[in-house]
Amino acid sequence: MRLSPPLSTPLRIAAATLWLPDRRETTEAALAAGRVDEETAARLRYREVSVSRDHAAPEMAVLAATDALAAAGWDGSGLGMVAHAWTYHQGHDFWSPAHYVAHHIGASAANAVGVQQMCNGGAAALEVAAARMIADPGVARAAVTTGDRFPPPAFDRWLGDYELVYGDSGTALLLDRAQGPYELLSVATVARSEYETMHRGDDEFSSMPRTLPQIDVRRTKRAFVASGAEPGFDAALVEAVVEVVGTALSEAGLAPDDPRVRFLTLPRLGAGPLEEFFQPAVDRLGLRHAEILDLGGGTGHLGAGDSAANLATLHAEKRLASGEVALLLSLGGGFSWSCVAVRAVTR
């Protein structure tokens, strides 16, 4: 989605925050407890993952948004929209977590929208909020939040899936028309919906939530592999990454070798899979000056929150100088890939 024009100037990101619970589960401790095997740990190379004992997923989104509002000096009542995204269970079966977030950050009058786009939800919610602001001049400010928690026994964060370990978190981005340390240049997305089968497998449709005692993504992925679809997906992944990053750059008016393109942040998957499946795409992109960042070694994969968490990390570490651009890459089951382009401005 090209953000300027039609806007005379890009939307701004006024704050980017990542809220992590205090508890960590280290890979060393997980190995000792038999929660992960040596081969998986060596391939993924996470040091530790964040684990919430006391906070549900939407509560962590509220905590992240509260921190973001404080950082921007805003009151929640000034928000015209709240877009909340998630990957996994939000604490109730028949309920709107987006309205819970809006309620608890003082934005009860804001239009609250829930976005369920699997692990690409954060970028999808950002796209929804930005499109609303472009279409409706009455929405001057918006919040984009994510919240995910993957607790046992229903979810095995260490061995419930291949190629990643899941961490708990909340994230928040605040959008404004004129103020903020980052310009939102583009949110590009590509989709390959024929691969929705990866997370469905051969399962029949159920009549109610939580019919299985434990989420087992490995089982549905084994069925996907058995169907013969895996080689096509591996090729599509590389092509999708090249396409979505290229589109984001084009919409931002940048060439891949522009020295202002400073970082490309990767989704917080395991290090081995990133090298095997994403590096070939990165090599084709020609990002001569950009540093490729894997920021998930100390958190795990944060569900819908990877992109926002990566920008929050760059911001907290003051990694982007004025005029420099970061590309935030994410993907999610279904399948979709997004790349968000942001540029730091003078503060």
Side-chain angles (χ1 to χ4, degrees), residues 39-132:
E39 181 181 357
T40 298
R43 176 167 170 76
L44 301 185
R45 302 202 293 275
Y46 290 108
R47 301 184 306 278
E48 59 186 16
V49 297
S50 54
V51 176
S52 172
R53 292 185 184 181
D54 304 319
H55 294 94
E59 291 178 312
M60 290 188 285
V62 167
L63 290 165
T66 300
D67 288 346
L69 289 167
W74 291 7
D75 187 278
S77 62
L79 295 170
M81 183 176 190
V82 175
H84 175 66
W86 65 92
T87 299
Y88 185 52
H89 184 57
Q90 295 290 284
H92 295 277
D93 289 334
F94 196 66
W95 174 69
S96 173
H99 288 84
Y100 173 90
V101 174
H103 172 203
H104 286 273
I105 63 173
S108 290
N111 181 26
V113 175
V115 178
Q116 216 297 334
Q117 190 78 347
M118 296 295 285
C119 296
N120 207 30
L126 178 61
E127 195 166 24
V128 167
R132 176 61 184 271

